[in-house]
Amino acid sequence: MKKNNIEINLLTMMLIEAIILLFFFKESLLNILISSIIVLFLLPLINHFKRNKLFDVITLLISFFIIFFLIKEISIFITYNLLKYYSTTLIVISIIITTLIVTKNGYHTFIKTLEICSYFYLLIKLISFILIIPNIDITNFNNTLLTELTINNHLIYITLFLLFILISIKSITNKLPNNKMYTLSFINPLIMKTIIILVIGKTLFNIYPYPYVNVLKRIKYLDFIERMEGILSFEYLFCFFFTISFFTIVIKNVLKKVLEFLV
């Protein structure tokens, strides 16, 4: 039971971070905070959620959209930051093949792969955090972070995406993360965004297509620790890749249910 809880919590943390980083990374901090609180109060209702045909159709459509969007964005990210002279088509094919290999044997194999890779992922995250700290300019606080505290109509979209993530997890695992773990899942991306703004300021944050990578480019220690962004930016890739893999499993699971119904 304890092992299953760890797996659910790890999966939840990875999915929520990927969604925040990709879809809403430049969104208002207050919007993300309010959305997370709304979903937190809805968790008991999600626990009693039961699948039906309409939900399966909606799940398929949304999952295909998320996979398509993620593959598109991750290939652009790799081409822009890591492999500038490689074919985008080749990168996309590599992502698809790797995803199919990981998800071939279902959820159990996927979650074990996620668990093993998470140690490297957490190590990169810790190293990034430590190396970025000396670049923080606290004077960016008053005139940048306070402007983030605004509410707009994106609030509903963030809430719906978060609800879909948790419902998808429930449909695959029949379990949900507890309130503490759900709340904890938001801390890292929010801290990351705050640190980035403190390092480069709000103006550059809005200009750069990948502000986190640009912050990593500033890391330089002694004469041999520099140009670390290529390695440290794999933190992005972990989140995106495992999110693509998870929604591939969701699609396979839904299609299996549909085929069983037809037969």
Side-chain angles (χ1 to χ4, degrees):
M1 180 67 68
K2 185 176 180 181
K3 182 68 172 177
N4 289 336
N5 288 337
I6 293 174
E7 292 174 352
I8 297 299
N9 292 337
L10 182 62
L11 177 62
T12 304
M13 182 179 71
M14 192 70 68
L15 293 178
I16 289 178
E17 181 163 341
I19 294 299
I20 291 178
L21 289 176
L22 185 60
F23 291 95
F24 310 114
F25 189 66
K26 294 191 177 182
E27 187 52 73
S28 164
L29 288 172
L30 190 59
N31 275 350
I32 297 174
L33 180 61
I34 293 176
S35 297
S36 65
I37 293 174
I38 293 173
V39 177
L40 183 64
F41 281 108
L42 292 176
L43 272 176
L45 295 177
I46 299 174
N47 232 341
H48 298 287
F49 175 82
K50 293 184 179 180
R51 292 174 54 170
N52 55 49
K53 296 177 184 177
L54 178 60
F55 170 75
D56 286 342
V57 173
I58 295 174
T59 300
L60 277 176
L61 294 176
I62 296 177
S63 296
F64 273 119
F65 167 76
I66 292 177
I67 289 174
F68 173 81
F69 190 80
L70 281 171
I71 290 177
K72 173 178 171 289
E73 291 299 317
I74 197 174
S75 61
I76 294 174
F77 174 85
I78 293 174
T79 303
Y80 188 89
N81 294 287
L82 303 175
L83 303 174
K84 295 184 178 181
Y85 304 107
Y86 283 75
S87 167
T88 303
T89 303
L90 182 61
I91 294 173
V92 170
I93 293 174
S94 300
I95 294 171
I96 294 173
I97 292 175
T98 307
T99 301
L100 293 176
I101 292 173
V102 172
T103 60
K104 178 182 178 182
N105 296 320
Y107 174 77
H108 180 74
T109 303
F110 160 75
I111 204 66
K112 291 302 178 185
T113 305
L114 172 60
E115 186 177 0
I116 293 171
C117 291
S118 65
Y119 295 108
F120 182 55
Y121 164 78
L122 293 173
L123 177 62
I124 291 179
K125 187 178 292 294
L126 178 61
I127 293 173
S128 301
F129 180 74
I130 293 173
L131 295 178
I132 288 174
I133 288 178
N135 294 280
I136 290 177
D137 182 1
I138 199 65
T139 60
N140 285 323
F141 181 81
N142 290 330
N143 59 358
T144 56
L145 290 184
L146 294 181
T147 62
E148 284 287 303
L149 300 179
T150 57
I151 300 177
N152 57 40
N153 56 3
H154 293 166
L155 178 64
I156 184 67
Y157 301 118
I158 300 173
T159 304
L160 290 175
F161 263 112
L162 294 175
L163 283 171
F164 180 72
I165 287 173
L166 293 179
I167 291 174
S168 297
I169 292 175
K170 177 69 163 55
S171 69
I172 295 295
T173 65
N174 292 319
K175 293 182 180 294
L176 281 174
N178 56 46
N179 294 350
K180 292 181 180 179
M181 188 60 209
Y182 172 79
T183 304
L184 187 63
S185 298
F186 284 88
I187 292 179
N188 175 67
L190 293 181
I191 290 177
M192 185 187 301
K193 177 174 182 177
T194 303
I195 289 176
I196 293 172
I197 294 177
L198 286 174
V199 172
I200 63 178
K202 183 67 182 296
T203 302
L204 290 178
F205 182 87
N206 290 328
I207 292 175
Y208 290 141
Y210 302 101
Y212 184 55
V213 178
N214 286 93
V215 168
L216 294 177
K217 289 179 179 180
R218 298 187 176 210
I219 295 175
K220 182 176 181 180
Y221 283 80
L222 303 177
D223 293 324
F224 57 92
I225 303 180
E226 57 182 355
R227 302 293 299 175
M228 295 284 289
E229 69 275 8
I231 297 175
L232 298 181
S233 60
F234 270 90
E235 181 182 339
Y236 269 105
L237 302 183
F238 276 121
C239 293
F240 298 160
F241 171 73
F242 283 108
T243 302
I244 293 171
S245 299
F246 173 75
F247 283 108
T248 300
I249 292 174
V250 170
I251 290 173
K252 290 173 65 175
N253 182 270
V254 172
L255 289 177
K256 182 179 178 181
K257 294 289 184 181
V258 172
L259 290 175
E260 288 177 354
F261 175 78
L262 294 176
V263 174

